[in-house]
Amino acid sequence: MYDIALSINACVRSKTRAEIAWLVSPNLGVNALALTPGGGRIGKIFEGAFDGVMSDYSNRKLPSGRLLNVLVNEFEATISGIPVGTNAQFLVVPADAFDPDTWPAMIDRVPIAIVAHLTADEVTRVDVFDESSISTADPQTAELFATGATGFQVHPDRVISVLFPVTRLVVAGQGPNAEAIAALGKTLGWNVSVVMRNDLAIGLLASLSPLDAAIIMGHEVEMSSRNLGAAIEGNAGYIGALGSAKMQQDRADWLAYQEVTDLSRVHGPAGLKISASTPAEIAVSVIAEIISVLKQN
């Protein structure tokens, strides 16, 4: 849900109707989708496996949210990995049912607890708690929040969704090293994007938070330097640049020409000094350095 918070916040500010759908059972992490009038979709629930079901409900434009029970079919099971016949439960709630401060908090990657109160399957009220207010929540919500991890509980009278952001890793580049770094990041449960298009990379890099990491690579000086500059302008907790000493200097020279001279946040060449040579070894050295730096932030 953190990935779609910026778009939802824009809808709320412009008073555009938006509904947020997310999986609450089985407990498989945050899979969220925002639906807007005219069939607009922001985000995905299991690569779109359940988007049709959520859209059909959203098109009804009901004033309150609902807890939906979806019996998983073969198509949905193939994409989502949820076994056929499972009763998957989703909340679909209008964005204006939330405290409007919810979305700026999620943009800032703040851990939150969402309590959707139910009468039968209808959502009658939504309460949102963060670290400063969780002490006022009911004991079950406070206990789930105290685990420090994303989790969900479905009760007859309410659904508790505790959301903790995970590290986002943006790899701007391509090739075996990029693939190896991305694969290891995914193994750690991170939200990983490998981006080759420069225009897309710049937007993602600039949006990173102190919880996140950016890896810049590539043999084309201007493109990789633009990406590096975007990362520096953002708030990424770790910025790593792969490449030879000459490439590092060429990027520094290009950025200096653009009046960007403070490269103190850049780890280049990226990675711990373990004499890594293969893509897998380079991935281990880079990911280890990311973990070390982010843990110190």
Side-chain angles (χ1 to χ4, degrees):
M1 197 178 295
Y2 291 93
D3 290 345
I4 62 176
L6 184 63
S7 298
I8 299 171
N9 188 55
C11 291
V12 171
R13 289 169 62 89
S14 65
K15 301 188 183 305
T16 299
R17 180 181 176 88
E19 291 178 285
I20 299 89
W22 71 100
L23 178 72
V24 294
S25 179
N27 191 340
L28 297 174
V30 183
N31 284 267
L33 171 72
L35 302 134
T36 58
R41 300 178 187 179
I42 306 163
K44 290 182 180 179
I45 297 178
F46 290 110
E47 298 302 319
F50 299 95
D51 288 9
V53 177
M54 300 302 111
S55 292
D56 289 344
Y57 173 80
S58 177
N59 289 337
R60 297 166 63 185
K61 297 182 179 179
L62 298 179
S64 59
R66 291 292 190 279
L67 177 65
L68 301 184
N69 292 276
V70 178
L71 199 63
V72 178
N73 60 33
E74 289 187 9
F75 169 76
E76 293 160 345
T78 299
I79 297 176
S80 69
I82 301 174
V84 174
T86 298
N87 178 37
Q89 294 182 291
F90 299 84
L91 279 173
V92 185
V93 183
D96 60 11
F98 295 78
D99 185 310
D101 289 338
T102 302
W103 311 116
M106 295 197 78
I107 292 170
D108 291 338
R109 312 289 293 285
V110 171
I112 64 169
I114 301 169
V115 181
H117 297 269
L118 301 173
T119 297
D121 65 349
E122 181 182 3
V123 177
T124 57
R125 189 176 87 246
V126 176
D127 295 327
V128 179
F129 304 91
D130 60 16
E131 291 175 317
S132 66
S133 60
I134 193 63
S135 61
T136 65
D138 66 88
Q140 287 171 311
T141 300
E143 183 178 350
L144 188 59
F145 191 88
T147 64
T150 294
F152 306 90
Q153 291 180 0
V154 180
H155 301 277
D157 63 339
R158 69 196 186 287
V159 178
I160 304 169
S161 303
V162 168
L163 308 179
F164 275 76
V166 299
T167 294
R168 291 179 63 193
L169 170 62
V170 174
V171 182
Q174 59 182 313
N177 290 337
E179 293 169 4
I181 292 169
L184 188 51
K186 290 177 182 178
T187 299
L188 293 172
W190 294 353
N191 182 349
V192 180
S193 300
V194 179
V195 192
M196 291 172 281
R197 281 179 52 187
N198 196 52
D199 55 337
L200 296 178
I202 287 174
L204 283 175
L205 292 165
S207 69
L208 296 180
S209 80
L211 298 174
D212 305 324
I215 297 295
I216 312 300
M217 61 179 65
H219 300 293
E220 207 282 318
V221 174
E222 181 175 351
M223 180 178 292
S224 61
S225 298
R226 286 185 184 278
N227 289 338
L228 185 57
I232 292 169
E233 288 180 6
N235 295 311
Y238 174 91
I239 302 172
L242 289 177
S244 65
K246 182 179 184 305
M247 175 57 74
Q248 304 288 342
Q249 187 59 55
D250 287 346
R251 289 178 185 143
D253 292 342
W254 191 93
L255 288 169
Y257 187 74
Q258 305 298 318
E259 300 184 349
V260 178
T261 57
D262 184 1
L263 306 183
S264 59
R265 293 167 56 211
V266 179
H267 298 264
L272 299 180
K273 293 178 173 57
I274 59 172
S275 300
S277 57
T278 68
E281 291 172 348
I282 291 170
V284 169
S285 72
V286 170
I287 295 295
E289 186 175 56
I290 292 173
I291 294 171
S292 176
V293 171
L294 293 183
K295 292 289 187 182
Q296 294 173 32
N297 288 350

